[in-house]
Amino acid sequence: EKGGFDHYMLKEIYEQPRSIRDCMRGRINAAEGKIALGGIKEYANKLKNVERVVIVACGTSWHAGLAGEYLIEEYARVPVEVEYASEFRYRNPIINERDVVIAISQSGETADTMAAIEIAKDKGATIFGICNVVGASIPRVTHAGVYTHAGPEIGVASTKAFTAQVTVLTLMAFYIAQQRGTLTTSKLTSLLTELNSIPEKVQTVLANNELIKDIAAKVKDSRNCLFLGRGSGFPVALEGALKLKEISYIHAEGYPAAEMKHGPIALIDKEMPVVFIATKNSSYEKVISNIQEVKARKGIVIAIVTKGDTEVEKMVDYCIEIPDADEAFLPLLATIPLQLLSYHIAVMRGCNVDQPRNLAKSVTVE
Ligand code: F6R
């Protein structure tokens, strides 16, 4: 049932070209620059005038939310707040009927996310769900929603559900932009055409598996690891760190790269691997200076770079190339090599990757 793979996690990582495609199916019309999200179409008018979006989630789903914040603010020009459901629910949150709350949950059963929804609903907000498990508790209590259609995710560490959540959030950002007129049809056409090519690009990232395994062998005995990125690379860094810690038990932290000098830089020495999201987008030059700061302190740098990059390659210990893409799609591509890196490190350390210790697939108690 693992389809010839050693673990569900690896199978699910490899399913991503298909799961991302399934998630987009029937929802985009690239030629006409149009998005159709049947689940929320009755709320098109609401979205046209929305003043604020609040995203609530936990764990990996919360990281997808951060990627969504970047997309919704950039394209739909609506302010977004991303909240840990567990914090939101106990804070007497300021929410009203003009707000749209998006709850993200793979399982659709997470207790804190459920409770956050109930509170926001009581305060009159419109609640959308982004869930993977059809008919689960969360999709039943939301006003409307969009399923991720990633298929069952068995590995406890979330992989294909994350990229599907980010895909839905990308579609939602474009959909809200469409209602509000913040994206021209020609820009939307070009973004959607590019989104259509993402599954193939994910396939080319997967082709780096052997290289990633070799890198994993070099760093598998580390005790700590840092993940750094800027802009839409920041949620990728957080997700990379979470994957590594949960399945390999190596202590890992994700940070915005610029925050390094406000503390974490003190940790860097020749034993510390630092993974950079160093692709060619708006923060490229700034990330390069952050890499120099780490190399000056003898840190071991692994960089996720844009295919054909030669500048970063000269400076770092290991490079993993991903295809060129608009910054909007960075999380969909740059997360894949980090999933594989964590997977191989965990396998080499003899860990149970599909069922890491102390973790459960759905967290139905707070
Ligand atoms: C990490 C992971 C968890 C979940 C979190 C939320 O790999 O799987 O962090 O993302 O427990 O779960 P859902 O999305 O089911 O609400």
Side-chain angles (χ1 to χ4, degrees), residues 270-281:
K270 64 181 183 1
E271 322 248 280
M272 175 69 101
V274 184
V275 179
F276 275 96
I277 316 307
T279 46
K280 283 204 173 121
N281 43 48

Side-chain angles (χ1 to χ4, degrees), residues 58-61 105-107 110 156-158 165 242-243 246 363:
C58 304
T60 286
S61 298
S105 176
Q106 187 286 128
S107 63
T110 302
V156 164
S158 186
Q165 289 164 343
L242 180 61
K243 278 304 80 103
E246 68 183 332
V363 185

Side-chain angles (χ1 to χ4, degrees), residues 106-170:
Q106 187 286 128
S107 63
E109 300 294 345
T110 302
D112 281 322
T113 309
M114 244 336 238
I117 292 170
E118 300 293 356
I119 289 169
K121 216 173 165 184
D122 280 350
K123 291 177 184 281
T126 299
I127 324 286
F128 292 166
I130 299 179
C131 296
N132 194 45
V133 177
V134 175
S137 306
I138 290 175
R140 279 188 274 128
V141 296
T142 51
H143 294 113
V146 178
Y147 280 113
T148 43
H149 295 310
E153 191 180 63
I154 313 288
V156 164
S158 186
T159 53
K160 64 173 179 170
F162 172 81
T163 46
Q165 289 164 343
V166 175
T167 303
V168 168
L169 286 158
T170 308

Side-chain angles (χ1 to χ4, degrees), residues 248-264:
S248 76
Y249 316 138
I250 293 174
H251 171 235
E253 300 283 349
Y255 268 94
E259 276 294 304
M260 186 179 62
K261 60 169 72 66
H262 300 286

Side-chain angles (χ1 to χ4, degrees), residues 222 267-273 294 297-300:
S222 307
L267 293 166
I268 293 167
D269 63 13
K270 64 181 183 1
E271 322 248 280
M272 175 69 101
V294 171
R297 288 160 185 86
K298 310 235 164 1
I300 306 157

